[in-house]
Amino acid sequence: MKITFLIHNVYAIGGTIRTTLNLAAALADRHEVTIVSMLRHRTRPRFAVDPRVTVVPLVDLRADAADPLLHRPAEVFPAAEKRYEQYSRLTDQRAREYLRNCEADVIIGTRPGINVYLARFAPTRALRIAQEHLTHDMHTKKLRAQLARNYRDLDALVTTTDADAAVYRARMRLPGVRILAVPNGVPDPGLPPTDGTAPTDGSAPVIAAAGRLVRAKRFDLLIEAFTEVAAKHSDWSLRVYGAGADKDRLQRLIEERGLSGRAALMGAVSPIEAEFAKASIVASASDAESFGMTLVEAMRCGIPVVATDCPLGPAEIIDDGVDGRLVPMGDRQALAAALSDLIADEPGRRRMGEAARAAARRFDPAHVAHAYEELFDDLAATRSSRARQRRKARWRSRVGRALRRPRR
């Protein structure tokens, strides 16, 4: 089977890129896989690409800089999509040309605007699958309306959590389109053990966290909670990995709380697993997560995670009290208490880390690839019945509009 992924820019760094490369490599065990990158800005991708996977860039921002279409605003890519300013009439044109001639059996889009290209231009003989790496509620009302009009022509919409799939089923009527959740795949980090059984022995007095330094990730809440932890446990430190617009504010907060030397902003590191393996706890204080890649990455290293029970991912990843801890969103005291409890209980921390490592095996890319293969088979088998559902819904819609039309 020929499978093609459509991605924003495989040459950059980001969670969608990582999980797409993980899934592509797993599928390449049995299929011919291509990744089509809408944009390219450098010679080589920053992440390693499986040599069995073909990468095809559509618009090279270096070679195409003089093309006048590159400097004209996109007409097909939705203006309400947050990446709109990076798209142009040239990306519209190249996407149309590539997709209309694409010979893939399955084509998978990986962000909303690209999924519009998929719906508009991809051949109907191919299975057309839209992935959602954010969530329904993270999109504006204007964008959701445009997506609803285009997604009706797709075969499936895949979210990363069951909770988000339920929201889409309730709020975006897509007859004939399968809406389901398949989690992101995270490979075994392959780190050498320090005690013969796990990548960490659970004794390093370090709490780690990682993500974009933006307000929604609530690293400020984590720093505030660590202020309480640091007062009780003088040998423990906090390391925050990531880059972003909130860096200066977070650095000031560290200094204001007297945590210089105890809490540090470490900068962006990728892959992050080697740094997580140097810690004994990983923390997440987010107000919202579309999935929670860093939670799974920590668990695959055998590190227990303390996370806020925010929408939508953590509760589907962590079994509270078994392989990690969930605390109420925005509750500094609860976060500090959960961290302190794990610090004080090293044997329990080790047991929880082992449970986390075992539980996280369900996110292995091979399992995720198998879920997609089952989806491909189901979509192919139900193509005719889903087409009938789509036609019936459109007929009812036309009849409804006619009945509502005022008589002259």
Side-chain angles (χ1 to χ4, degrees), residues 281-299:
I281 303 170
V282 168
S284 172
S286 290
D287 280 345
E289 288 286 352
S290 56
F291 176 64
M293 283 285 285
T294 58
L295 310 186
V296 180
E297 287 165 341
M299 293 170 70

PDB file of all heavy atoms in Angstrom, residues 281-299:
ATOM      1  N   ILE A 281      11.248  12.812  38.706  1.00  0.00           N
ATOM      2  CA  ILE A 281       9.840  13.174  38.528  1.00  0.00           C
ATOM      3  C   ILE A 281       9.773  14.113  37.327  1.00  0.00           C
ATOM      4  O   ILE A 281      10.643  14.967  37.151  1.00  0.00           O
ATOM      5  CB  ILE A 281       9.257  13.886  39.762  1.00  0.00           C
ATOM      6  CG1 ILE A 281       9.396  13.031  41.022  1.00  0.00           C
ATOM      7  CG2 ILE A 281       7.790  14.264  39.540  1.00  0.00           C
ATOM      8  CD1 ILE A 281       9.066  13.782  42.316  1.00  0.00           C
ATOM      9  N   VAL A 282       8.745  13.966  36.523  1.00  0.00           N
ATOM     10  CA  VAL A 282       8.442  14.944  35.478  1.00  0.00           C
ATOM     11  C   VAL A 282       7.106  15.576  35.809  1.00  0.00           C
ATOM     12  O   VAL A 282       6.168  14.889  36.234  1.00  0.00           O
ATOM     13  CB  VAL A 282       8.421  14.290  34.077  1.00  0.00           C
ATOM     14  CG1 VAL A 282       7.817  15.237  33.031  1.00  0.00           C
ATOM     15  CG2 VAL A 282       9.836  13.895  33.669  1.00  0.00           C
ATOM     16  N   ALA A 283       7.020  16.895  35.646  1.00  0.00           N
ATOM     17  CA  ALA A 283       5.810  17.625  36.013  1.00  0.00           C
ATOM     18  C   ALA A 283       5.235  18.369  34.817  1.00  0.00           C
ATOM     19  O   ALA A 283       5.966  18.834  33.942  1.00  0.00           O
ATOM     20  CB  ALA A 283       6.117  18.611  37.141  1.00  0.00           C
ATOM     21  N   SER A 284       3.915  18.489  34.799  1.00  0.00           N
ATOM     22  CA  SER A 284       3.212  19.274  33.783  1.00  0.00           C
ATOM     23  C   SER A 284       2.083  20.020  34.469  1.00  0.00           C
ATOM     24  O   SER A 284       1.254  19.413  35.150  1.00  0.00           O
ATOM     25  CB  SER A 284       2.649  18.375  32.682  1.00  0.00           C
ATOM     26  OG  SER A 284       1.818  19.116  31.814  1.00  0.00           O
ATOM     27  N   ALA A 285       2.046  21.337  34.290  1.00  0.00           N
ATOM     28  CA  ALA A 285       1.031  22.171  34.948  1.00  0.00           C
ATOM     29  C   ALA A 285       0.097  22.827  33.944  1.00  0.00           C
ATOM     30  O   ALA A 285      -0.560  23.814  34.250  1.00  0.00           O
ATOM     31  CB  ALA A 285       1.715  23.241  35.802  1.00  0.00           C
ATOM     32  N   SER A 286      -0.021  22.289  32.751  1.00  0.00           N
ATOM     33  CA  SER A 286      -0.752  22.918  31.650  1.00  0.00           C
ATOM     34  C   SER A 286      -2.223  23.157  31.973  1.00  0.00           C
ATOM     35  O   SER A 286      -2.855  22.404  32.722  1.00  0.00           O
ATOM     36  CB  SER A 286      -0.677  22.052  30.392  1.00  0.00           C
ATOM     37  OG  SER A 286       0.616  22.047  29.850  1.00  0.00           O
ATOM     38  N   ASP A 287      -2.763  24.198  31.328  1.00  0.00           N
ATOM     39  CA  ASP A 287      -4.205  24.450  31.365  1.00  0.00           C
ATOM     40  C   ASP A 287      -4.921  23.703  30.259  1.00  0.00           C
ATOM     41  O   ASP A 287      -6.139  23.542  30.296  1.00  0.00           O
ATOM     42  CB  ASP A 287      -4.492  25.948  31.211  1.00  0.00           C
ATOM     43  CG  ASP A 287      -4.294  26.715  32.515  1.00  0.00           C
ATOM     44  OD1 ASP A 287      -4.210  26.063  33.580  1.00  0.00           O
ATOM     45  OD2 ASP A 287      -4.224  27.956  32.468  1.00  0.00           O
ATOM     46  N   ALA A 288      -4.194  23.263  29.242  1.00  0.00           N
ATOM     47  CA  ALA A 288      -4.796  22.529  28.129  1.00  0.00           C
ATOM     48  C   ALA A 288      -3.729  21.719  27.417  1.00  0.00           C
ATOM     49  O   ALA A 288      -2.600  22.170  27.267  1.00  0.00           O
ATOM     50  CB  ALA A 288      -5.468  23.486  27.140  1.00  0.00           C
ATOM     51  N   GLU A 289      -4.088  20.518  27.001  1.00  0.00           N
ATOM     52  CA  GLU A 289      -3.206  19.661  26.215  1.00  0.00           C
ATOM     53  C   GLU A 289      -4.046  18.978  25.147  1.00  0.00           C
ATOM     54  O   GLU A 289      -5.122  18.457  25.437  1.00  0.00           O
ATOM     55  CB  GLU A 289      -2.544  18.587  27.089  1.00  0.00           C
ATOM     56  CG  GLU A 289      -1.482  19.102  28.031  1.00  0.00           C
ATOM     57  CD  GLU A 289      -0.175  19.466  27.330  1.00  0.00           C
ATOM     58  OE1 GLU A 289      -0.052  19.175  26.116  1.00  0.00           O
ATOM     59  OE2 GLU A 289       0.705  20.036  27.990  1.00  0.00           O
ATOM     60  N   SER A 290      -3.572  18.968  23.914  1.00  0.00           N
ATOM     61  CA  SER A 290      -4.274  18.214  22.881  1.00  0.00           C
ATOM     62  C   SER A 290      -3.978  16.722  23.012  1.00  0.00           C
ATOM     63  O   SER A 290      -4.786  15.889  22.616  1.00  0.00           O
ATOM     64  CB  SER A 290      -3.868  18.710  21.494  1.00  0.00           C
ATOM     65  OG  SER A 290      -2.465  18.649  21.328  1.00  0.00           O
ATOM     66  N   PHE A 291      -2.831  16.386  23.580  1.00  0.00           N
ATOM     67  CA  PHE A 291      -2.483  14.993  23.858  1.00  0.00           C
ATOM     68  C   PHE A 291      -1.613  14.922  25.102  1.00  0.00           C
ATOM     69  O   PHE A 291      -2.070  14.534  26.164  1.00  0.00           O
ATOM     70  CB  PHE A 291      -1.775  14.370  22.653  1.00  0.00           C
ATOM     71  CG  PHE A 291      -1.303  12.966  22.888  1.00  0.00           C
ATOM     72  CD1 PHE A 291      -2.206  11.957  23.133  1.00  0.00           C
ATOM     73  CD2 PHE A 291       0.055  12.659  22.862  1.00  0.00           C
ATOM     74  CE1 PHE A 291      -1.767  10.647  23.362  1.00  0.00           C
ATOM     75  CE2 PHE A 291       0.500  11.365  23.074  1.00  0.00           C
ATOM     76  CZ  PHE A 291      -0.411  10.367  23.323  1.00  0.00           C
ATOM     77  N   GLY A 292      -0.365  15.321  24.999  1.00  0.00           N
ATOM     78  CA  GLY A 292       0.552  15.242  26.124  1.00  0.00           C
ATOM     79  C   GLY A 292       1.760  14.391  25.808  1.00  0.00           C
ATOM     80  O   GLY A 292       2.067  13.428  26.517  1.00  0.00           O
ATOM     81  N   MET A 293       2.461  14.747  24.728  1.00  0.00           N
ATOM     82  CA  MET A 293       3.619  13.965  24.297  1.00  0.00           C
ATOM     83  C   MET A 293       4.672  13.855  25.387  1.00  0.00           C
ATOM     84  O   MET A 293       5.262  12.786  25.594  1.00  0.00           O
ATOM     85  CB  MET A 293       4.240  14.598  23.050  1.00  0.00           C
ATOM     86  CG  MET A 293       3.484  14.316  21.765  1.00  0.00           C
ATOM     87  SD  MET A 293       3.719  12.635  21.160  1.00  0.00           S
ATOM     88  CE  MET A 293       5.387  12.747  20.492  1.00  0.00           C
ATOM     89  N   THR A 294       4.945  14.956  26.106  1.00  0.00           N
ATOM     90  CA  THR A 294       6.008  14.899  27.113  1.00  0.00           C
ATOM     91  C   THR A 294       5.652  13.938  28.242  1.00  0.00           C
ATOM     92  O   THR A 294       6.551  13.334  28.844  1.00  0.00           O
ATOM     93  CB  THR A 294       6.295  16.295  27.694  1.00  0.00           C
ATOM     94  OG1 THR A 294       5.098  16.836  28.274  1.00  0.00           O
ATOM     95  CG2 THR A 294       6.812  17.236  26.630  1.00  0.00           C
ATOM     96  N   LEU A 295       4.352  13.780  28.525  1.00  0.00           N
ATOM     97  CA  LEU A 295       3.951  12.830  29.568  1.00  0.00           C
ATOM     98  C   LEU A 295       4.337  11.411  29.157  1.00  0.00           C
ATOM     99  O   LEU A 295       4.910  10.651  29.948  1.00  0.00           O
ATOM    100  CB  LEU A 295       2.440  12.908  29.813  1.00  0.00           C
ATOM    101  CG  LEU A 295       1.818  14.285  30.045  1.00  0.00           C
ATOM    102  CD1 LEU A 295       0.348  14.129  30.423  1.00  0.00           C
ATOM    103  CD2 LEU A 295       2.566  15.056  31.120  1.00  0.00           C
ATOM    104  N   VAL A 296       4.018  11.062  27.913  1.00  0.00           N
ATOM    105  CA  VAL A 296       4.335   9.717  27.428  1.00  0.00           C
ATOM    106  C   VAL A 296       5.837   9.526  27.315  1.00  0.00           C
ATOM    107  O   VAL A 296       6.372   8.461  27.657  1.00  0.00           O
ATOM    108  CB  VAL A 296       3.647   9.460  26.079  1.00  0.00           C
ATOM    109  CG1 VAL A 296       3.982   8.049  25.575  1.00  0.00           C
ATOM    110  CG2 VAL A 296       2.142   9.616  26.201  1.00  0.00           C
ATOM    111  N   GLU A 297       6.543  10.546  26.847  1.00  0.00           N
ATOM    112  CA  GLU A 297       8.005  10.443  26.729  1.00  0.00           C
ATOM    113  C   GLU A 297       8.635  10.186  28.090  1.00  0.00           C
ATOM    114  O   GLU A 297       9.567   9.370  28.205  1.00  0.00           O
ATOM    115  CB  GLU A 297       8.552  11.726  26.112  1.00  0.00           C
ATOM    116  CG  GLU A 297       8.242  11.842  24.625  1.00  0.00           C
ATOM    117  CD  GLU A 297       8.451  13.240  24.068  1.00  0.00           C
ATOM    118  OE1 GLU A 297       8.481  14.201  24.861  1.00  0.00           O
ATOM    119  OE2 GLU A 297       8.570  13.381  22.849  1.00  0.00           O
ATOM    120  N   ALA A 298       8.139  10.845  29.133  1.00  0.00           N
ATOM    121  CA  ALA A 298       8.660  10.602  30.477  1.00  0.00           C
ATOM    122  C   ALA A 298       8.342   9.187  30.941  1.00  0.00           C
ATOM    123  O   ALA A 298       9.203   8.484  31.488  1.00  0.00           O
ATOM    124  CB  ALA A 298       8.077  11.628  31.448  1.00  0.00           C
ATOM    125  N   MET A 299       7.104   8.758  30.719  1.00  0.00           N
ATOM    126  CA  MET A 299       6.692   7.429  31.145  1.00  0.00           C
ATOM    127  C   MET A 299       7.498   6.336  30.440  1.00  0.00           C
ATOM    128  O   MET A 299       7.848   5.326  31.046  1.00  0.00           O
ATOM    129  CB  MET A 299       5.196   7.254  30.902  1.00  0.00           C
ATOM    130  CG  MET A 299       4.331   8.142  31.791  1.00  0.00           C
ATOM    131  SD  MET A 299       2.576   8.152  31.311  1.00  0.00           S
ATOM    132  CE  MET A 299       2.078   6.486  31.787  1.00  0.00           C
TER     133      MET A 299
END
